[in-house]
Amino acid sequence: MTESSQLSPDEKGLLLFISGPSGVGKSTICRALAAQLPAEFALSATTRLGKPQDQWGKRYLFINANEFAQRIEKDEFLEYAQVFGHWYGTLKAPVIESLNAGKKVLLEIDVQGGAQIKVMFPRAVGILILPPSEESLVQRLTSRGRDDPATITTRLAQAKMEISAARNSGAYSLEVVNQVVETTIERIKEFVQGPRPKSG
Ligand code: 5GP
C-alpha cells in the first residue's frame, strides 16, 4: 500500500463547508469561490421544489421524500438535515471521488450539516458567513422578493438561532462579515490557501 492510499479523503483533498443565514449571500460567494480556488461545488439532493433561480441539475437534484428516504437507507449521503421543512443532503460519492483525486470540494450547507461534516472529517474547514447587521439582512431578504414580510420575520429569528448554533458547534474555523462580496471572497481564499492548524 502506498503512503497516499492510507490517507483519508480529507487528507488528500480539502473539504470546505460554508454556512450562514438565508439571504447573507452564500450562493454568490460559493459560486465565485468554486471558480477561483478552484473547487468542485458539491451536488445536494433536496425535497424542496425547484425555483426559477435554481440552476437545474447543477446545484440540486430535486427528488421526492420517498426517494430521499431510500437514498438515506442506501447510505448515499455524506450528511443530511431538514431545513425550513425540507430535506437536504450532500451526495457522498462525487465528494469522496474529488477528495481522493486531491481536489478542493465546497459544500454550501446548513449548520446541522456542517456539524456532521466536522465530526466525520476533522480536517474539513468550516466558514460562517455573517450579515453586516440585522437591518441589512432584512433589506437583502426584502429586495430578493421571494418572501412575504411574515416569512422574513421568521427567517430573521432563524438567522439568529443559526449563528449561535454555528458558534456553539465549534465546527467553524472562520467567520466573515459579508460587507463587500469581493472582500469576503478574498478573505476566504487567503484563509484557505494560507497556513492552518492540521485540525482545520
Ligand atoms: P435553499 O433552499 O434556499 O437553496 O437552501 C436552504 C438552506 O439549505 C441553506 O441554508 C442551504 O445552505 C441549506 N442546504 C442546501 N443544501 C444542503 C445540503 O446538502 N445539506 C444541508 N445540511 N443543508 C443544505
Side-chain angles (χ1 to χ4, degrees), residues 6 22 73 96 100 107 124 158 172 175 186:
Q6 290 170 346
S22 180
E73 280 297 305
I96 300 297
N100 281 335
L107 315 183
Q158 274 162 342
Y172 294 84
E175 288 188 9
E186 284 311 311

Coordinates of all heavy atoms in Angstrom, one line a residue, residues 6 22 73 96 100 107 124 158 172 175 186:
Q6 N -3.2 5.3 2.1 CA -3.5 5.2 3.5 C -4.2 6.4 4.1 O -4.7 6.5 5.2 CB -2.3 4.8 4.4 CG -1.8 3.4 4.1 CD -0.4 3.2 4.7 OE1 0.2 4.1 5.1 NE2 -0.1 1.9 4.8
S22 N -30.0 32.5 5.8 CA -30.6 32.8 4.5 C -30.5 34.3 4.1 O -30.8 35.1 5.0 CB -32.1 32.3 4.7 OG -32.8 32.5 3.5
E73 N -31.3 5.2 3.3 CA -31.2 3.8 3.5 C -29.9 3.2 2.8 O -29.2 2.4 3.4 CB -32.4 3.0 2.9 CG -33.6 3.1 3.8 CD -33.4 2.4 5.2 OE1 -33.0 1.2 5.1 OE2 -33.5 3.0 6.2
I96 N -16.4 12.3 -2.3 CA -15.2 11.4 -2.0 C -14.3 11.2 -3.1 O -13.1 11.3 -3.0 CB -15.8 10.0 -1.4 CG1 -16.6 10.2 -0.2 CG2 -14.6 9.0 -1.2 CD1 -15.9 10.8 1.0
N100 N -10.4 12.3 -3.1 CA -9.4 11.3 -3.3 C -8.5 11.6 -4.5 O -7.4 11.2 -4.6 CB -10.0 9.9 -3.6 CG -10.4 9.2 -2.3 OD1 -9.9 9.5 -1.2 ND2 -11.4 8.3 -2.3
L107 N -18.9 22.7 0.0 CA -20.3 22.4 0.3 C -21.0 23.7 0.8 O -20.4 24.4 1.7 CB -20.4 21.4 1.5 CG -19.5 20.1 1.4 CD1 -19.9 19.2 2.6 CD2 -19.7 19.4 0.1
A124 N -11.8 19.1 7.7 CA -12.6 20.0 6.9 C -12.6 21.4 7.5 O -12.5 21.6 8.7 CB -14.1 19.4 6.9
Q158 N -34.7 32.8 12.7 CA -33.9 31.6 12.3 C -32.4 31.9 12.2 O -31.5 31.2 12.6 CB -34.4 30.9 11.1 CG -35.5 29.9 11.4 CD -36.4 29.6 10.2 OE1 -36.3 30.3 9.2 NE2 -37.1 28.5 10.3
Y172 N -16.8 25.7 13.1 CA -16.4 26.7 12.1 C -15.1 27.4 12.5 O -15.0 27.9 13.7 CB -17.6 27.7 12.0 CG -18.8 27.1 11.3 CD1 -19.7 26.3 12.1 CD2 -18.9 27.1 10.0 CE1 -20.7 25.6 11.5 CE2 -20.0 26.4 9.4 CZ -20.9 25.7 10.2 OH -21.9 25.0 9.5
E175 N -15.1 33.2 10.7 CA -16.3 33.9 10.5 C -16.0 35.1 9.6 O -15.0 35.8 9.9 CB -16.8 34.4 11.8 CG -17.4 33.4 12.7 CD -18.0 33.9 14.0 OE1 -18.2 35.2 14.1 OE2 -18.4 33.1 14.9
E186 N -12.0 37.3 -1.1 CA -10.6 37.4 -0.9 C -10.2 36.9 0.5 O -9.2 36.1 0.6 CB -10.1 38.8 -1.1 CG -10.0 39.3 -2.5 CD -9.3 38.3 -3.4 OE1 -8.2 37.8 -3.1 OE2 -9.9 37.9 -4.5

